Amino acid sequence: VTTTSYGGDLRLNLSRLGSNGSNNNNNNNNSNQWRGGFPLPDFSISWSRAEVEAPSALAPLKEERDATYATITYLPGSRVRLFLAGSMENYKNLVEGSSYDINSVNLNSTVNLSSDADLSVNGRRMERDTANLVGYDTRTIDTNADVNLNFRKKNRFSHYYRYQYQSQQYEGT
């Protein structure tokens, strides 16, 4: 069996620009720091590829898998938090002619509306397409959403309002 894997990561921590006014170089040259008033998000992206091959006459194997992940984290102030993540995964079995593609996106956010209330919005969507895979539908779509308005506890009581949504769609066999 021969396995080959490769990939890489890229991270851009833009939220650090101008965050404390120092350039972290242990010298006193802080003149090239951006000191704008608009907060910036952090980004990351990762990609990997794996190839597996076993040229056996009885049970040959030849597979390829690509995976890409990306995130955005945005904290524009102490009152707002936003996190967005997405992924794509592609798999191919070149001997059997089977494959799948999975795409997903996630959102998590919280907004501090006042000293007594937070609003959180969370959601996820996943789509999977398959070909020649036994036991899987040819297309699956899952969608979930959750919205919460939470109030702080007062006099030993707390209350909240919540909306939840869930949808699952299946096609083919």
Short mmCIF file of all heavy atoms in Angstrom, two decimals, residues 71-100:
data_model
loop_
_atom_site.label_atom_id
_atom_site.label_comp_id
_atom_site.label_asym_id
_atom_site.label_seq_id
_atom_site.Cartn_x
_atom_site.Cartn_y
_atom_site.Cartn_z
N THR A 71 -12.13 29.17 8.26
CA THR A 71 -12.84 29.81 9.37
C THR A 71 -12.63 31.32 9.32
O THR A 71 -11.60 31.80 8.85
CB THR A 71 -12.35 29.30 10.75
OG1 THR A 71 -10.99 29.64 10.91
CG2 THR A 71 -12.56 27.80 10.89
N ILE A 72 -13.62 32.02 9.83
CA ILE A 72 -13.53 33.46 10.04
C ILE A 72 -14.01 33.71 11.47
O ILE A 72 -15.10 33.28 11.84
CB ILE A 72 -14.42 34.24 9.05
CG1 ILE A 72 -13.98 34.00 7.62
CG2 ILE A 72 -14.38 35.74 9.39
CD1 ILE A 72 -14.92 34.60 6.59
N THR A 73 -13.19 34.38 12.24
CA THR A 73 -13.56 34.78 13.59
C THR A 73 -13.53 36.29 13.63
O THR A 73 -12.53 36.91 13.28
CB THR A 73 -12.57 34.20 14.62
OG1 THR A 73 -12.52 32.79 14.47
CG2 THR A 73 -13.00 34.55 16.04
N TYR A 74 -14.64 36.87 14.08
CA TYR A 74 -14.75 38.33 14.09
C TYR A 74 -15.25 38.79 15.44
O TYR A 74 -16.33 38.37 15.88
CB TYR A 74 -15.69 38.78 12.97
CG TYR A 74 -15.74 40.27 12.75
CD1 TYR A 74 -14.58 41.02 12.59
CD2 TYR A 74 -16.95 40.93 12.69
CE1 TYR A 74 -14.63 42.38 12.39
CE2 TYR A 74 -17.01 42.29 12.48
CZ TYR A 74 -15.84 43.02 12.32
OH TYR A 74 -15.89 44.36 12.12
N LEU A 75 -14.47 39.60 16.11
CA LEU A 75 -14.81 40.14 17.41
C LEU A 75 -14.71 41.67 17.34
O LEU A 75 -13.72 42.26 17.76
CB LEU A 75 -13.86 39.60 18.48
CG LEU A 75 -13.75 38.09 18.56
CD1 LEU A 75 -12.59 37.68 19.46
CD2 LEU A 75 -15.05 37.48 19.01
N PRO A 76 -15.73 42.33 16.77
CA PRO A 76 -15.62 43.78 16.57
C PRO A 76 -15.67 44.59 17.86
O PRO A 76 -15.40 45.78 17.85
CB PRO A 76 -16.81 44.11 15.67
CG PRO A 76 -17.77 43.02 15.91
CD PRO A 76 -16.98 41.81 16.24
N GLY A 77 -16.00 43.97 18.95
CA GLY A 77 -16.04 44.66 20.23
C GLY A 77 -16.41 43.66 21.30
O GLY A 77 -16.60 42.48 21.04
N SER A 78 -16.53 44.13 22.52
CA SER A 78 -16.85 43.21 23.61
C SER A 78 -18.31 42.74 23.56
O SER A 78 -18.68 41.81 24.24
CB SER A 78 -16.57 43.89 24.94
OG SER A 78 -17.39 45.04 25.08
N ARG A 79 -19.14 43.37 22.72
CA ARG A 79 -20.56 43.03 22.69
C ARG A 79 -20.93 42.05 21.57
O ARG A 79 -22.04 41.52 21.57
CB ARG A 79 -21.38 44.31 22.54
CG ARG A 79 -21.18 45.28 23.69
CD ARG A 79 -21.94 46.54 23.46
NE ARG A 79 -23.37 46.31 23.53
CZ ARG A 79 -24.14 46.69 24.53
NH1 ARG A 79 -23.62 47.30 25.54
NH2 ARG A 79 -25.43 46.45 24.49
N VAL A 80 -20.05 41.80 20.62
CA VAL A 80 -20.38 40.97 19.47
C VAL A 80 -19.29 39.92 19.24
O VAL A 80 -18.11 40.25 19.25
CB VAL A 80 -20.54 41.82 18.18
CG1 VAL A 80 -20.82 40.95 16.98
CG2 VAL A 80 -21.63 42.86 18.36
N ARG A 81 -19.71 38.67 19.05
CA ARG A 81 -18.80 37.58 18.71
C ARG A 81 -19.39 36.84 17.52
O ARG A 81 -20.57 36.47 17.52
CB ARG A 81 -18.65 36.62 19.89
CG ARG A 81 -17.94 37.23 21.07
CD ARG A 81 -17.84 36.28 22.24
NE ARG A 81 -19.11 35.85 22.81
CZ ARG A 81 -19.89 36.56 23.63
NH1 ARG A 81 -19.53 37.79 23.95
NH2 ARG A 81 -20.99 36.07 24.11
N LEU A 82 -18.57 36.61 16.49
CA LEU A 82 -19.04 35.95 15.27
C LEU A 82 -18.00 34.92 14.84
O LEU A 82 -16.80 35.23 14.77
CB LEU A 82 -19.24 36.98 14.16
CG LEU A 82 -19.65 36.47 12.80
CD1 LEU A 82 -21.03 35.84 12.84
CD2 LEU A 82 -19.61 37.58 11.78
N PHE A 83 -18.46 33.71 14.57
CA PHE A 83 -17.59 32.63 14.10
C PHE A 83 -18.28 31.95 12.93
O PHE A 83 -19.43 31.53 13.03
CB PHE A 83 -17.33 31.63 15.23
CG PHE A 83 -16.49 30.47 14.81
CD1 PHE A 83 -15.12 30.61 14.66
CD2 PHE A 83 -17.06 29.24 14.56
CE1 PHE A 83 -14.34 29.54 14.27
CE2 PHE A 83 -16.29 28.16 14.18
CZ PHE A 83 -14.92 28.31 14.03
N LEU A 84 -17.58 31.86 11.81
CA LEU A 84 -18.10 31.23 10.61
C LEU A 84 -17.08 30.20 10.14
O LEU A 84 -15.89 30.51 10.05
CB LEU A 84 -18.34 32.28 9.53
CG LEU A 84 -18.96 31.84 8.22
CD1 LEU A 84 -20.37 31.31 8.43
CD2 LEU A 84 -18.98 33.00 7.24
N ALA A 85 -17.54 28.98 9.88
CA ALA A 85 -16.64 27.92 9.43
C ALA A 85 -17.28 27.17 8.27
O ALA A 85 -18.50 26.99 8.23
CB ALA A 85 -16.36 26.94 10.58
N GLY A 86 -16.45 26.77 7.35
CA GLY A 86 -16.94 26.00 6.21
C GLY A 86 -15.96 24.90 5.87
O GLY A 86 -14.77 24.98 6.17
N SER A 87 -16.47 23.84 5.24
CA SER A 87 -15.59 22.74 4.84
C SER A 87 -16.11 22.11 3.56
O SER A 87 -17.31 22.15 3.27
CB SER A 87 -15.48 21.69 5.95
OG SER A 87 -16.73 21.05 6.14
N MET A 88 -15.16 21.56 2.81
CA MET A 88 -15.47 20.79 1.60
C MET A 88 -14.60 19.55 1.64
O MET A 88 -13.39 19.65 1.87
CB MET A 88 -15.16 21.58 0.34
CG MET A 88 -15.97 22.83 0.16
SD MET A 88 -15.69 23.70 -1.40
CE MET A 88 -13.93 23.81 -1.51
N GLU A 89 -15.23 18.40 1.43
CA GLU A 89 -14.48 17.15 1.37
C GLU A 89 -14.92 16.39 0.14
O GLU A 89 -16.12 16.24 -0.12
CB GLU A 89 -14.71 16.32 2.63
CG GLU A 89 -13.88 15.06 2.64
CD GLU A 89 -14.05 14.24 3.90
OE1 GLU A 89 -14.56 14.77 4.90
OE2 GLU A 89 -13.68 13.06 3.88
N ASN A 90 -13.94 15.91 -0.64
CA ASN A 90 -14.21 15.15 -1.86
C ASN A 90 -13.45 13.84 -1.78
O ASN A 90 -12.26 13.83 -1.48
CB ASN A 90 -13.75 15.92 -3.10
CG ASN A 90 -14.28 17.33 -3.13
OD1 ASN A 90 -13.57 18.24 -2.74
ND2 ASN A 90 -15.50 17.52 -3.54
N TYR A 91 -14.16 12.75 -2.06
CA TYR A 91 -13.56 11.42 -2.02
C TYR A 91 -13.90 10.69 -3.32
O TYR A 91 -15.04 10.77 -3.80
CB TYR A 91 -14.11 10.63 -0.83
CG TYR A 91 -13.79 9.15 -0.90
CD1 TYR A 91 -12.57 8.66 -0.48
CD2 TYR A 91 -14.74 8.25 -1.38
CE1 TYR A 91 -12.28 7.31 -0.55
CE2 TYR A 91 -14.46 6.89 -1.46
CZ TYR A 91 -13.23 6.43 -1.05
OH TYR A 91 -12.95 5.10 -1.12
N LYS A 92 -12.91 9.98 -3.86
CA LYS A 92 -13.13 9.18 -5.06
C LYS A 92 -12.44 7.84 -4.89
O LYS A 92 -11.24 7.79 -4.55
CB LYS A 92 -12.58 9.87 -6.30
CG LYS A 92 -13.35 11.09 -6.71
CD LYS A 92 -12.78 11.71 -7.97
CE LYS A 92 -13.59 12.93 -8.30
NZ LYS A 92 -12.83 14.09 -8.53
N ASN A 93 -13.18 6.76 -5.14
CA ASN A 93 -12.59 5.43 -5.23
C ASN A 93 -12.51 5.14 -6.72
O ASN A 93 -13.53 4.86 -7.36
CB ASN A 93 -13.45 4.40 -4.51
CG ASN A 93 -12.82 3.03 -4.50
OD1 ASN A 93 -12.21 2.60 -5.48
ND2 ASN A 93 -12.98 2.33 -3.38
N LEU A 94 -11.33 5.22 -7.28
CA LEU A 94 -11.16 5.13 -8.72
C LEU A 94 -11.30 3.70 -9.24
O LEU A 94 -11.50 3.51 -10.44
CB LEU A 94 -9.81 5.72 -9.12
CG LEU A 94 -9.62 7.19 -8.72
CD1 LEU A 94 -8.22 7.65 -8.97
CD2 LEU A 94 -10.62 8.07 -9.44
N VAL A 95 -11.22 2.71 -8.38
CA VAL A 95 -11.40 1.32 -8.80
C VAL A 95 -12.88 0.98 -8.90
O VAL A 95 -13.35 0.42 -9.89
CB VAL A 95 -10.68 0.35 -7.84
CG1 VAL A 95 -10.99 -1.10 -8.18
CG2 VAL A 95 -9.18 0.61 -7.87
N GLU A 96 -13.66 1.33 -7.87
CA GLU A 96 -15.08 1.01 -7.82
C GLU A 96 -15.97 2.06 -8.48
O GLU A 96 -17.15 1.83 -8.69
CB GLU A 96 -15.52 0.82 -6.37
CG GLU A 96 -14.83 -0.34 -5.68
CD GLU A 96 -15.21 -0.45 -4.21
OE1 GLU A 96 -16.01 0.39 -3.73
OE2 GLU A 96 -14.70 -1.36 -3.56
N GLY A 97 -15.42 3.22 -8.76
CA GLY A 97 -16.21 4.28 -9.36
C GLY A 97 -17.16 4.96 -8.38
O GLY A 97 -18.13 5.58 -8.77
N SER A 98 -16.88 4.86 -7.08
CA SER A 98 -17.73 5.50 -6.07
C SER A 98 -17.09 6.81 -5.62
O SER A 98 -15.87 7.00 -5.73
CB SER A 98 -17.94 4.58 -4.87
OG SER A 98 -16.71 4.22 -4.30
N SER A 99 -17.94 7.70 -5.12
CA SER A 99 -17.43 9.00 -4.67
C SER A 99 -18.44 9.67 -3.75
O SER A 99 -19.61 9.29 -3.71
CB SER A 99 -17.15 9.92 -5.87
OG SER A 99 -18.36 10.22 -6.54
N TYR A 100 -17.96 10.68 -3.03
CA TYR A 100 -18.86 11.56 -2.28
C TYR A 100 -18.24 12.95 -2.20
O TYR A 100 -17.03 13.12 -2.25
CB TYR A 100 -19.21 11.02 -0.89
CG TYR A 100 -18.07 10.96 0.10
CD1 TYR A 100 -17.63 12.11 0.77
CD2 TYR A 100 -17.46 9.75 0.40
CE1 TYR A 100 -16.61 12.04 1.68
CE2 TYR A 100 -16.44 9.69 1.33
CZ TYR A 100 -16.02 10.84 1.97
OH TYR A 100 -15.01 10.77 2.88
#
